[in-house]
Coordinates of all heavy atoms in Angstrom, one line a residue:
M1 N 0.9 -1.2 0.0 CA -0.1 0.1 0.0 C 0.9 1.2 -0.1 O 1.8 1.4 -0.7 CB -0.9 0.0 1.2 CG -2.3 0.2 0.7 SD -3.7 -0.2 1.9 CE -3.4 0.7 3.4
M2 N 0.6 2.2 0.9 CA 1.3 3.5 0.9 C 2.7 3.3 1.5 O 3.0 3.6 2.5 CB 0.5 4.5 1.7 CG -0.9 4.6 1.4 SD -1.1 6.0 0.4 CE -0.4 7.4 1.3
G3 N 3.6 3.2 0.6 CA 5.1 3.1 1.0 C 5.2 2.3 2.2 O 4.5 1.3 2.3
S4 N 6.4 2.5 2.8 CA 6.5 1.7 4.1 C 7.0 2.5 5.3 O 8.0 2.2 5.9 CB 7.7 0.6 3.7 OG 8.8 1.4 3.3
C5 N 6.2 3.5 5.6 CA 6.5 4.3 6.7 C 6.2 3.7 8.1 O 6.8 3.9 8.9 CB 5.6 5.7 6.6 SG 4.0 5.5 6.5
G6 N 5.3 2.6 8.0 CA 5.0 2.0 9.3 C 6.0 0.8 9.5 O 6.8 0.5 8.7
T7 N 5.9 0.3 10.7 CA 6.8 -0.8 11.1 C 6.1 -2.0 10.6 O 4.9 -2.0 10.1 CB 7.1 -0.9 12.5 OG1 5.8 -1.0 13.2 CG2 7.7 0.3 13.1
A8 N 6.7 -3.2 10.8 CA 6.1 -4.4 10.3 C 4.8 -4.7 11.2 O 3.9 -5.3 10.6 CB 7.1 -5.5 10.4
M9 N 4.8 -4.2 12.4 CA 3.6 -4.5 13.2 C 2.7 -3.4 13.3 O 2.6 -2.6 14.4 CB 4.1 -4.9 14.6 CG 4.9 -6.1 14.7 SD 4.0 -7.6 14.5 CE 3.0 -7.7 16.1
E10 N 2.0 -3.1 12.2 CA 0.9 -2.0 12.2 C -0.2 -2.5 13.1 O -0.6 -3.5 12.9 CB 0.5 -1.7 10.8 CG 1.4 -0.8 10.1 CD 0.8 -0.2 8.8 OE1 0.1 -1.0 8.1 OE2 0.9 0.9 8.5
T11 N -0.7 -1.5 13.8 CA -1.9 -1.8 14.6 C -3.1 -1.7 13.8 O -3.1 -1.1 12.7 CB -2.1 -0.9 15.8 OG1 -2.4 0.4 15.3 CG2 -0.8 -0.9 16.6
P12 N -4.4 -2.3 14.1 CA -5.4 -2.2 13.4 C -5.9 -0.7 13.1 O -6.3 -0.4 12.0 CB -6.5 -2.9 14.2 CG -5.8 -3.9 15.0 CD -4.4 -3.2 15.3
L13 N -5.7 0.2 14.1 CA -5.9 1.6 13.8 C -5.1 2.2 12.9 O -5.5 3.0 12.1 CB -5.9 2.3 15.2 CG -6.3 3.8 15.1 CD1 -7.6 4.0 14.6 CD2 -6.0 4.5 16.5
E14 N -3.8 1.9 12.9 CA -2.8 2.4 12.0 C -3.3 1.9 10.5 O -3.1 2.7 9.5 CB -1.3 2.0 12.3 CG -0.9 2.7 13.5 CD 0.4 2.2 14.1 OE1 0.8 1.0 13.8 OE2 1.2 3.0 14.5
K15 N -3.6 0.7 10.5 CA -4.0 0.1 9.1 C -5.2 0.9 8.5 O -5.4 1.3 7.5 CB -4.3 -1.3 9.2 CG -3.1 -2.2 9.1 CD -3.6 -3.7 9.1 CE -2.3 -4.5 9.4 NZ -2.7 -5.8 10.0
A16 N -6.2 1.1 9.6 CA -7.4 1.8 9.2 C -7.2 3.3 8.6 O -7.6 3.7 7.6 CB -8.4 1.9 10.3
L17 N -6.1 4.0 9.4 CA -5.9 5.2 9.0 C -5.2 5.4 7.6 O -5.4 6.1 6.8 CB -4.9 5.9 10.0 CG -5.5 6.3 11.4 CD1 -4.5 6.6 12.4 CD2 -6.6 7.4 11.2
A18 N -4.3 4.3 7.3 CA -3.6 4.2 6.1 C -4.7 4.0 4.9 O -4.6 4.6 4.0 CB -2.6 3.1 6.1
T19 N -5.7 3.2 5.2 CA -6.7 2.9 4.3 C -7.5 4.1 4.0 O -7.8 4.5 2.8 CB -7.7 1.9 4.8 OG1 -6.9 0.7 5.1 CG2 -8.7 1.5 3.8
L20 N -7.8 4.9 5.1 CA -8.6 6.2 4.9 C -7.8 7.2 4.0 O -8.5 7.8 3.1 CB -8.8 6.9 6.3 CG -9.7 6.1 7.2 CD1 -9.9 6.8 8.5 CD2 -11.1 5.8 6.5
V21 N -6.5 7.3 4.2 CA -5.7 8.2 3.4 C -5.6 7.6 2.0 O -5.8 8.4 0.9 CB -4.3 8.4 4.1 CG1 -3.4 9.2 3.1 CG2 -4.5 9.2 5.4
Y22 N -5.3 6.4 1.9 CA -5.1 5.8 0.6 C -6.4 5.9 -0.3 O -6.3 6.2 -1.5 CB -4.7 4.3 0.8 CG -4.7 3.5 -0.4 CD1 -3.7 3.5 -1.3 CD2 -5.7 2.6 -0.7 CE1 -3.6 2.7 -2.5 CE2 -5.7 1.8 -1.9 CZ -4.7 1.8 -2.8 OH -4.8 1.2 -3.8
T23 N -7.5 5.7 0.3 CA -8.8 5.7 -0.4 C -9.0 7.2 -1.1 O -9.4 7.3 -2.2 CB -10.0 5.4 0.6 OG1 -9.6 4.1 0.9 CG2 -11.2 5.3 -0.2
F24 N -8.7 8.1 -0.3 CA -8.8 9.5 -0.8 C -8.0 9.7 -2.1 O -8.5 10.1 -3.1 CB -8.3 10.5 0.3 CG -8.4 11.9 -0.2 CD1 -9.7 12.7 -0.2 CD2 -7.3 12.7 -0.7 CE1 -9.8 14.0 -0.5 CE2 -7.4 13.9 -1.2 CZ -8.6 14.6 -1.1
H25 N -6.8 9.3 -2.0 CA -5.7 9.5 -3.1 C -6.1 8.6 -4.3 O -5.8 8.9 -5.4 CB -4.3 9.4 -2.6 CG -3.9 10.4 -1.6 ND1 -3.6 11.7 -2.2 CD2 -3.9 10.6 -0.3 CE1 -3.4 12.6 -1.1 NE2 -3.5 11.9 0.0
K26 N -6.7 7.5 -4.0 CA -7.0 6.5 -5.0 C -8.0 7.2 -5.9 O -8.0 7.0 -7.2 CB -7.6 5.4 -4.4 CG -7.9 4.2 -5.3 CD -8.4 3.0 -4.5 CE -9.5 2.1 -5.2 NZ -9.9 1.0 -4.2
Y27 N -8.9 8.0 -5.4 CA -10.0 8.7 -6.2 C -9.5 10.1 -6.6 O -9.8 10.5 -7.7 CB -11.2 8.6 -5.6 CG -11.8 7.3 -5.5 CD1 -11.5 6.3 -4.4 CD2 -12.6 6.7 -6.5 CE1 -11.9 5.1 -4.2 CE2 -13.0 5.4 -6.5 CZ -12.7 4.5 -5.3 OH -13.2 3.3 -5.3
S28 N -8.8 10.8 -5.8 CA -8.6 12.2 -6.1 C -7.6 12.3 -7.3 O -7.5 13.3 -7.9 CB -7.9 12.8 -4.8 OG -6.5 12.3 -4.6
G29 N -6.8 11.2 -7.5 CA -5.8 11.3 -8.6 C -6.4 11.1 -10.0 O -5.7 11.1 -11.0
R30 N -7.7 10.8 -10.2 CA -8.3 10.5 -11.4 C -8.5 11.6 -12.4 O -8.2 11.3 -13.6 CB -9.7 9.8 -11.1 CG -9.5 8.4 -10.4 CD -10.7 7.6 -10.5 NE -10.4 6.3 -10.0 CZ -11.3 5.3 -9.8 NH1 -12.4 5.5 -10.3 NH2 -10.9 4.2 -9.3
E31 N -8.8 12.7 -12.0 CA -9.0 13.9 -12.9 C -8.7 15.1 -12.2 O -8.8 15.2 -10.9 CB -10.4 13.8 -13.6 CG -11.5 14.0 -12.5 CD -12.8 14.2 -13.1 OE1 -13.1 13.7 -14.1 OE2 -13.7 15.0 -12.4
G32 N -8.5 16.3 -13.0 CA -8.2 17.5 -12.4 C -7.1 17.5 -11.3 O -6.1 16.8 -11.4
D33 N -7.2 18.3 -10.3 CA -6.3 18.4 -9.2 C -6.1 17.0 -8.5 O -7.1 16.3 -8.1 CB -6.7 19.5 -8.2 CG -5.6 19.7 -7.2 OD1 -5.0 18.7 -6.7 OD2 -5.4 20.9 -7.0
R34 N -4.9 16.5 -8.3 CA -4.6 15.2 -7.8 C -4.9 15.2 -6.4 O -5.0 14.0 -5.9 CB -3.1 14.9 -8.0 CG -2.7 14.5 -9.4 CD -1.4 13.7 -9.4 NE -0.3 14.6 -8.9 CZ 0.7 14.2 -8.0 NH1 0.5 13.0 -7.6 NH2 1.6 15.0 -7.6
F35 N -5.0 16.4 -5.7 CA -5.1 16.4 -4.3 C -6.5 16.9 -3.8 O -6.8 17.0 -2.6 CB -4.1 17.1 -3.6 CG -2.7 16.6 -3.9 CD1 -1.7 17.4 -4.7 CD2 -2.3 15.4 -3.4 CE1 -0.6 16.8 -5.0 CE2 -1.0 14.8 -3.7 CZ -0.1 15.6 -4.5
T36 N -7.5 16.7 -4.7 CA -8.9 17.2 -4.3 C -9.8 16.1 -5.1 O -9.4 15.6 -6.1 CB -9.3 18.5 -4.7 OG1 -9.1 18.7 -6.1 CG2 -8.4 19.6 -4.0
L37 N -10.9 15.9 -4.5 CA -12.0 15.2 -5.1 C -13.0 16.0 -5.9 O -13.7 16.9 -5.4 CB -12.7 14.5 -4.1 CG -12.0 13.2 -3.4 CD1 -13.0 12.8 -2.2 CD2 -11.7 12.1 -4.2
S38 N -13.1 15.7 -7.2 CA -14.2 16.4 -7.9 C -15.6 15.7 -7.6 O -15.5 14.7 -7.0 CB -14.0 16.4 -9.4 OG -14.1 15.0 -9.8
K39 N -16.7 16.3 -8.1 CA -18.0 15.6 -7.7 C -18.0 14.2 -8.3 O -18.5 13.2 -7.6 CB -19.2 16.4 -8.3 CG -20.3 16.0 -7.6 CD -21.7 16.5 -8.4 CE -21.9 18.0 -7.9 NZ -23.3 18.4 -8.5
S40 N -17.5 14.0 -9.5 CA -17.6 12.6 -10.0 C -16.6 11.7 -9.3 O -16.9 10.5 -9.1 CB -17.4 12.7 -11.6 OG -16.0 12.9 -11.8
E41 N -15.5 12.2 -8.8 CA -14.6 11.3 -8.0 C -15.2 11.1 -6.6 O -15.2 9.8 -6.2 CB -13.2 12.0 -7.8 CG -12.3 12.1 -9.1 CD -11.2 13.0 -8.9 OE1 -11.2 13.9 -8.0 OE2 -10.3 12.9 -9.8
L42 N -15.9 11.9 -6.1 CA -16.6 11.7 -4.9 C -17.6 10.6 -5.0 O -17.8 9.9 -4.2 CB -17.3 13.0 -4.3 CG -18.1 12.9 -3.0 CD1 -17.2 12.6 -1.8 CD2 -18.9 14.1 -2.7
K43 N -18.4 10.8 -6.2 CA -19.4 9.9 -6.5 C -19.0 8.4 -6.6 O -19.4 7.5 -5.9 CB -20.1 10.2 -7.7 CG -21.4 9.4 -8.0 CD -22.2 9.9 -9.3 CE -23.4 9.0 -9.5 NZ -23.2 8.1 -10.6
E44 N -17.8 8.3 -7.4 CA -17.1 6.9 -7.4 C -16.8 6.4 -6.2 O -16.9 5.2 -5.8 CB -15.8 7.2 -8.3 CG -16.1 7.1 -9.7 CD -16.5 5.7 -10.3 OE1 -15.7 4.7 -10.0 OE2 -17.6 5.7 -10.8
L45 N -16.1 7.3 -5.3 CA -15.6 6.8 -4.0 C -16.8 6.2 -3.1 O -16.7 5.2 -2.6 CB -15.0 8.0 -3.3 CG -14.1 7.7 -1.9 CD1 -13.1 8.8 -1.8 CD2 -15.1 7.7 -0.7
V46 N -17.9 7.2 -3.1 CA -18.9 6.8 -2.3 C -19.8 5.5 -2.7 O -20.0 4.5 -2.1 CB -20.0 7.9 -2.2 CG1 -21.3 7.5 -1.5 CG2 -19.4 9.1 -1.4
T47 N -19.9 5.4 -4.1 CA -20.5 4.2 -4.7 C -19.7 2.9 -4.5 O -20.2 1.9 -4.2 CB -20.7 4.5 -6.3 OG1 -21.2 5.8 -6.4 CG2 -21.7 3.5 -6.9
T48 N -18.4 3.1 -4.7 CA -17.5 2.0 -4.6 C -17.2 1.5 -3.2 O -17.1 0.3 -2.9 CB -16.2 2.2 -5.5 OG1 -16.6 2.7 -6.7 CG2 -15.6 0.8 -5.6
E49 N -16.8 2.6 -2.4 CA -16.2 2.1 -1.1 C -17.2 2.1 0.2 O -16.9 1.7 1.2 CB -15.2 3.3 -0.7 CG -14.1 3.4 -1.9 CD -13.1 2.1 -2.0 OE1 -13.2 1.3 -1.2 OE2 -12.5 2.1 -3.1
V50 N -18.4 2.6 0.0 CA -19.3 2.8 1.1 C -20.5 2.0 0.7 O -21.2 2.2 -0.4 CB -19.8 4.2 1.4 CG1 -20.6 4.2 2.7 CG2 -18.5 5.1 1.5
A51 N -21.0 0.9 1.5 CA -22.1 0.1 1.1 C -23.4 0.7 1.4 O -24.1 0.2 2.4 CB -21.9 -1.3 1.9
L52 N -23.7 1.7 0.7 CA -25.0 2.4 0.9 C -26.1 1.8 -0.1 O -27.2 2.3 -0.2 CB -24.9 3.8 0.8 CG -23.9 4.5 1.9 CD1 -23.8 5.9 1.5 CD2 -24.6 4.5 3.2
G53 N -25.8 0.9 -0.9 CA -26.6 0.5 -2.0 C -26.5 1.5 -3.1 O -25.6 2.3 -3.3
E54 N -27.7 1.8 -3.9 CA -27.6 2.7 -4.9 C -27.6 4.1 -4.4 O -28.4 4.4 -3.6 CB -28.7 2.4 -5.9 CG -28.6 3.1 -7.2 CD -29.9 3.3 -8.0 OE1 -30.9 2.4 -7.7 OE2 -30.0 4.0 -8.9
V55 N -26.7 5.0 -4.9 CA -26.6 6.4 -4.4 C -27.2 7.2 -5.6 O -26.8 7.2 -6.7 CB -25.2 6.8 -4.1 CG1 -25.2 8.1 -3.7 CG2 -24.6 5.8 -3.2
K56 N -28.3 7.9 -5.2 CA -28.9 8.7 -6.1 C -28.1 9.9 -6.4 O -27.4 10.4 -5.5 CB -30.4 9.1 -5.7 CG -31.2 7.9 -5.4 CD -32.6 8.1 -5.9 CE -33.4 6.8 -6.1 NZ -33.5 6.0 -4.9
A57 N -28.3 10.5 -7.6 CA -27.5 11.7 -8.1 C -27.8 13.0 -7.1 O -27.0 13.7 -6.7 CB -27.9 12.0 -9.4
A58 N -29.0 13.0 -6.7 CA -29.4 14.1 -5.8 C -28.7 13.9 -4.4 O -28.4 15.0 -3.8 CB -31.0 14.1 -5.6
A59 N -28.5 12.7 -3.9 CA -27.8 12.5 -2.7 C -26.5 12.9 -2.8 O -25.8 13.5 -1.8 CB -28.0 11.0 -2.3
I60 N -25.8 12.7 -4.0 CA -24.4 13.0 -4.2 C -24.3 14.5 -4.2 O -23.5 15.2 -3.6 CB -23.8 12.5 -5.5 CG1 -23.7 11.0 -5.4 CG2 -22.4 13.1 -5.9 CD1 -22.6 10.5 -4.4
D61 N -25.2 15.3 -4.8 CA -25.4 16.7 -4.9 C -25.3 17.3 -3.5 O -24.6 18.2 -3.2 CB -26.6 17.2 -5.7 CG -26.3 17.0 -7.2 OD1 -25.2 16.8 -7.6 OD2 -27.4 17.2 -7.9
K62 N -26.1 16.6 -2.6 CA -26.4 17.1 -1.3 C -25.0 16.9 -0.5 O -24.7 17.8 0.3 CB -27.6 16.3 -0.6 CG -28.6 17.2 -0.1 CD -29.7 16.5 0.5 CE -30.1 17.0 1.9 NZ -31.0 16.1 2.6
L63 N -24.6 15.7 -0.7 CA -23.3 15.4 0.1 C -22.2 16.4 -0.3 O -21.5 16.9 0.6 CB -22.9 14.0 -0.2 CG -21.6 13.4 0.4 CD1 -21.8 13.3 2.0 CD2 -21.3 12.1 -0.1
M64 N -22.1 16.5 -1.6 CA -21.0 17.5 -2.2 C -21.2 18.8 -1.4 O -20.3 19.5 -1.1 CB -21.2 17.6 -3.7 CG -20.2 18.4 -4.4 SD -18.7 17.4 -4.5 CE -17.5 18.8 -5.1
E65 N -22.5 19.4 -1.5 CA -22.8 20.7 -0.9 C -22.5 20.7 0.5 O -21.8 21.6 1.0 CB -24.4 21.0 -1.1 CG -24.7 22.3 -1.2 CD -26.2 22.6 -1.4 OE1 -26.6 22.0 -2.5 OE2 -26.8 23.2 -0.6
S66 N -22.8 19.7 1.3 CA -22.4 19.8 2.6 C -21.0 19.6 3.1 O -20.5 20.2 4.0 CB -23.3 18.7 3.4 OG -22.9 17.4 3.1
L67 N -20.3 18.8 2.1 CA -18.9 18.8 2.5 C -17.9 19.9 2.0 O -17.0 20.2 2.6 CB -18.4 17.4 1.9 CG -18.9 16.1 2.3 CD1 -18.4 14.9 1.6 CD2 -18.7 15.9 3.9
D68 N -18.5 20.5 0.9 CA -17.6 21.5 0.2 C -17.7 22.9 1.0 O -18.5 23.7 0.5 CB -18.0 21.6 -1.2 CG -17.1 22.7 -2.1 OD1 -16.1 22.9 -1.5 OD2 -17.5 23.0 -3.1
K69 N -17.1 23.0 2.1 CA -17.2 24.1 3.1 C -16.7 25.3 2.4 O -17.3 26.4 2.7 CB -16.3 23.8 4.3 CG -16.9 22.6 5.1 CD -18.1 23.1 6.1 CE -18.4 22.0 7.1 NZ -19.6 21.1 6.5
N70 N -15.7 25.3 1.6 CA -15.2 26.6 1.1 C -15.6 26.8 -0.3 O -15.2 27.8 -1.0 CB -13.5 26.6 1.0 CG -13.0 25.6 0.1 OD1 -13.7 24.7 -0.4 ND2 -11.7 25.4 0.1
K71 N -16.6 26.0 -0.8 CA -17.4 26.3 -2.1 C -16.5 26.3 -3.2 O -16.7 27.2 -4.1 CB -18.3 27.6 -1.8 CG -19.3 27.4 -0.7 CD -20.4 26.6 -0.9 CE -21.2 26.4 0.4 NZ -21.9 25.0 0.3
D72 N -15.4 25.6 -3.3 CA -14.6 25.6 -4.5 C -14.9 24.5 -5.5 O -14.2 24.2 -6.4 CB -13.2 25.7 -4.2 CG -12.6 24.4 -3.5 OD1 -13.5 23.6 -3.1 OD2 -11.4 24.3 -3.3
E73 N -16.1 23.8 -5.2 CA -16.5 22.6 -6.1 C -15.7 21.4 -6.1 O -16.0 20.5 -6.9 CB -16.7 23.2 -7.7 CG -17.4 24.5 -7.8 CD -18.9 24.3 -7.8 OE1 -19.3 23.5 -8.7 OE2 -19.6 24.9 -7.1
V74 N -14.8 21.4 -5.2 CA -14.0 20.1 -5.1 C -13.9 19.9 -3.6 O -13.9 20.7 -2.7 CB -12.6 20.1 -5.7 CG1 -12.7 20.2 -7.2 CG2 -11.8 21.4 -5.1
I75 N -13.6 18.5 -3.2 CA -13.4 18.2 -1.8 C -11.9 18.0 -1.6 O -11.3 17.1 -2.1 CB -14.2 16.8 -1.6 CG1 -15.7 17.0 -1.9 CG2 -13.9 16.4 -0.1 CD1 -16.4 18.0 -1.2
D76 N -11.4 18.8 -0.7 CA -9.9 18.7 -0.4 C -9.8 17.6 0.8 O -11.0 17.2 1.4 CB -9.3 20.0 0.0 CG -10.0 20.8 1.2 OD1 -10.6 20.1 2.0 OD2 -9.9 22.0 1.1
F77 N -8.7 17.4 1.2 CA -8.5 16.3 2.3 C -9.3 16.7 3.6 O -9.8 15.8 4.2 CB -7.0 16.0 2.5 CG -6.9 14.7 3.3 CD1 -6.8 13.4 2.6 CD2 -6.6 14.8 4.6 CE1 -6.8 12.3 3.4 CE2 -6.6 13.6 5.4 CZ -6.7 12.3 4.7
K78 N -9.1 18.0 3.9 CA -9.7 18.4 5.2 C -11.2 18.2 5.0 O -11.9 17.8 6.1 CB -9.3 19.9 5.4 CG -9.7 20.4 6.7 CD -9.3 21.8 7.0 CE -9.9 22.4 8.3 NZ -10.0 23.8 8.3
E79 N -11.8 18.5 3.9 CA -13.3 18.3 3.9 C -13.6 16.9 3.8 O -14.8 16.4 4.3 CB -13.8 19.1 2.6 CG -13.7 20.6 2.7 CD -13.8 21.3 1.3 OE1 -13.5 20.7 0.3 OE2 -14.0 22.5 1.2
Y80 N -12.7 16.0 3.2 CA -13.0 14.6 3.3 C -13.0 14.1 4.8 O -13.7 13.2 5.0 CB -11.9 14.0 2.5 CG -11.7 12.5 2.6 CD1 -12.6 11.6 1.8 CD2 -10.5 11.9 3.2 CE1 -12.4 10.2 1.9 CE2 -10.4 10.5 3.2 CZ -11.2 9.7 2.6 OH -11.0 8.2 2.5
T81 N -12.1 14.7 5.6 CA -12.1 14.2 7.0 C -13.5 14.4 7.6 O -13.8 13.6 8.6 CB -10.9 14.8 7.8 OG1 -11.2 16.3 7.8 CG2 -9.6 14.4 7.2
S82 N -14.2 15.5 7.3 CA -15.6 15.7 7.9 C -16.6 14.6 7.4 O -17.4 14.2 8.2 CB -16.0 17.0 7.8 OG -15.4 17.8 6.9
F83 N -16.3 14.1 6.2 CA -17.2 13.0 5.8 C -16.8 11.7 6.5 O -17.8 11.1 7.0 CB -16.8 12.8 4.1 CG -17.4 11.7 3.6 CD1 -18.8 11.5 3.6 CD2 -16.6 10.7 2.9 CE1 -19.3 10.4 3.1 CE2 -17.2 9.6 2.4 CZ -18.6 9.3 2.4
L84 N -15.6 11.6 6.7 CA -15.2 10.3 7.6 C -15.6 10.4 8.9 O -16.1 9.4 9.4 CB -13.6 10.2 7.5 CG -12.9 10.0 6.3 CD1 -11.4 10.0 6.5 CD2 -13.3 8.6 5.6
S85 N -15.6 11.6 9.5 CA -16.2 11.7 11.0 C -17.7 11.5 10.9 O -18.1 10.8 11.9 CB -15.7 13.0 11.6 OG -16.7 14.0 11.5
A86 N -18.4 12.0 9.9 CA -19.8 11.6 9.8 C -20.0 10.1 9.7 O -21.0 9.5 10.4 CB -20.4 12.4 8.6
L87 N -19.3 9.5 8.9 CA -19.3 8.1 8.6 C -19.1 7.3 10.0 O -19.8 6.3 10.3 CB -18.3 7.5 7.6 CG -18.8 7.6 6.2 CD1 -17.6 7.0 5.3 CD2 -20.1 6.7 5.9
C88 N -18.0 7.7 10.7 CA -17.7 7.1 12.0 C -18.8 7.2 12.9 O -19.1 6.2 13.7 CB -16.6 7.8 12.6 SG -14.9 7.2 12.1
M89 N -19.5 8.4 13.0 CA -20.6 8.5 13.9 C -21.7 7.5 13.6 O -22.3 7.0 14.4 CB -21.2 9.9 13.8 CG -20.2 11.1 14.2 SD -19.8 11.1 15.9 CE -21.0 12.0 16.5
T90 N -22.0 7.4 12.3 CA -23.0 6.5 11.7 C -22.6 5.0 12.3 O -23.5 4.4 12.7 CB -23.1 6.5 10.3 OG1 -23.2 7.9 9.8 CG2 -24.3 5.8 9.8
Y91 N -21.5 4.6 12.0 CA -21.0 3.3 12.4 C -21.1 3.2 14.0 O -21.6 2.0 14.5 CB -19.6 3.0 12.1 CG -19.5 2.3 10.6 CD1 -19.6 3.2 9.5 CD2 -19.2 1.0 10.4 CE1 -19.6 2.8 8.2 CE2 -19.2 0.6 9.2 CZ -19.4 1.4 8.0 OH -19.3 0.9 6.7
N92 N -20.8 4.1 14.8 CA -20.8 4.0 16.2 C -22.3 3.8 16.5 O -22.7 3.2 17.5 CB -20.2 5.3 16.8 CG -20.2 5.1 18.3 OD1 -19.7 4.1 18.8 ND2 -20.6 6.3 19.0
D93 N -23.2 4.6 15.9 CA -24.7 4.4 16.2 C -25.1 3.0 16.0 O -25.8 2.5 16.8 CB -25.4 5.4 15.3 CG -25.3 6.9 15.8 OD1 -24.7 7.1 16.8 OD2 -25.7 7.7 14.9
F94 N -24.8 2.4 14.9 CA -25.1 1.0 14.7 C -24.5 0.2 15.7 O -25.1 -0.7 16.2 CB -24.5 0.6 13.2 CG -25.4 1.0 12.0 CD1 -24.8 1.7 11.1 CD2 -26.7 0.7 12.0 CE1 -25.5 2.1 9.9 CE2 -27.4 1.0 10.9 CZ -26.8 1.8 9.9
F95 N -23.3 0.4 16.0 CA -22.6 -0.4 17.1 C -23.3 -0.3 18.4 O -23.5 -1.3 19.0 CB -21.1 0.2 17.3 CG -20.2 -0.6 18.2 CD1 -19.6 -1.8 17.9 CD2 -20.2 -0.1 19.6 CE1 -18.9 -2.5 18.9 CE2 -19.3 -0.8 20.6 CZ -18.7 -2.0 20.2
Q96 N -23.7 0.9 18.8 CA -24.4 1.0 20.1 C -25.9 0.5 20.0 O -26.2 -0.2 20.9 CB -24.6 2.5 20.4 CG -23.3 3.1 20.9 CD -23.4 4.6 21.2 OE1 -24.3 5.3 20.8 NE2 -22.5 4.9 22.1
Q97 N -26.5 0.5 18.9 CA -27.8 -0.2 18.7 C -27.6 -1.8 18.8 O -28.5 -2.4 19.4 CB -28.5 0.1 17.3 CG -29.1 1.4 17.5 CD -29.5 2.0 16.1 OE1 -29.5 1.2 15.0 NE2 -29.8 3.2 15.9
D98 N -26.6 -2.3 18.3 CA -26.3 -3.7 18.2 C -26.0 -4.2 19.6 O -26.4 -5.3 20.1 CB -25.1 -4.0 17.4 CG -25.5 -4.3 15.9 OD1 -26.6 -4.2 15.6 OD2 -24.6 -4.6 15.1
A99 N -25.4 -3.2 20.4 CA -24.9 -3.6 21.7 C -26.1 -3.8 22.7 O -26.0 -4.4 23.8 CB -23.9 -2.7 22.3
K100 N -27.3 -3.1 22.3 CA -28.4 -3.1 23.2 C -29.1 -4.5 23.3 O -29.0 -5.3 22.4 CB -29.3 -2.1 22.8 CG -29.1 -0.8 23.4 CD -30.1 0.3 23.0 CE -29.5 1.7 23.2 NZ -30.1 2.7 22.3
Ligands
CA1 CA1 -13.9 22.5 -1.3

């Protein structure tokens, strides 16, 4: 994966972090600026990497709008992290519901 900055014994959290970063760059490099996600790159990422089933175009528009804080029509890494934190919250909600 991403170079070899980690030691041989990466923890699960370190692996997860590497995956989060790697996933951003896997899609951000496809068109335009290599370090930002365009709307179509965001759509690809969400459709392929998040098991939400079919994602409607309107939902992507809404997601794009809510994530694109500086309104430059692309998602930079910082904006991507708010998406991840929202996803984390959702997973935590599921986890807590399951635990009941
Ligand atoms: Ca932006």
Side-chain angles (χ1 to χ4, degrees):
M1 229 160 64
M2 305 265 305
S4 56
C5 52
T7 59
M9 295 288 287
E10 275 191 324
T11 69
L13 180 60
E14 286 170 334
K15 275 186 198 149
L17 290 171
T19 303
L20 296 177
V21 172
Y22 170 79
T23 302
F24 179 84
H25 291 286
K26 186 171 150 191
Y27 293 90
S28 71
R30 293 193 173 186
E31 62 172 32
D33 191 317
R34 283 199 299 133
F35 301 111
T36 58
L37 293 170
S38 65
K39 192 193 280 186
S40 69
E41 287 167 342
L42 177 71
K43 183 170 186 263
E44 275 294 303
L45 188 157
V46 171
T47 312
T48 313
E49 308 289 346
V50 187
L52 294 172
E54 198 196 337
V55 185
K56 301 226 163 60
I60 295 291
D61 285 350
K62 230 178 135 187
L63 180 64
M64 186 80 191
E65 203 176 306
S66 69
L67 295 178
D68 187 17
K69 296 272 188 267
N70 64 357
K71 304 285 169 212
D72 64 353
E73 310 274 305
V74 288
I75 304 303
D76 59 29
F77 193 82
K78 192 178 169 203
E79 289 164 341
Y80 171 72
T81 62
S82 10
F83 172 59
L84 294 178
S85 93
L87 274 181
C88 275
M89 300 291 278
T90 309
Y91 271 79
N92 188 47
D93 290 345
F94 280 126
F95 181 80
Q96 286 182 333
Q97 276 166 19
D98 273 2
K100 271 179 196 159

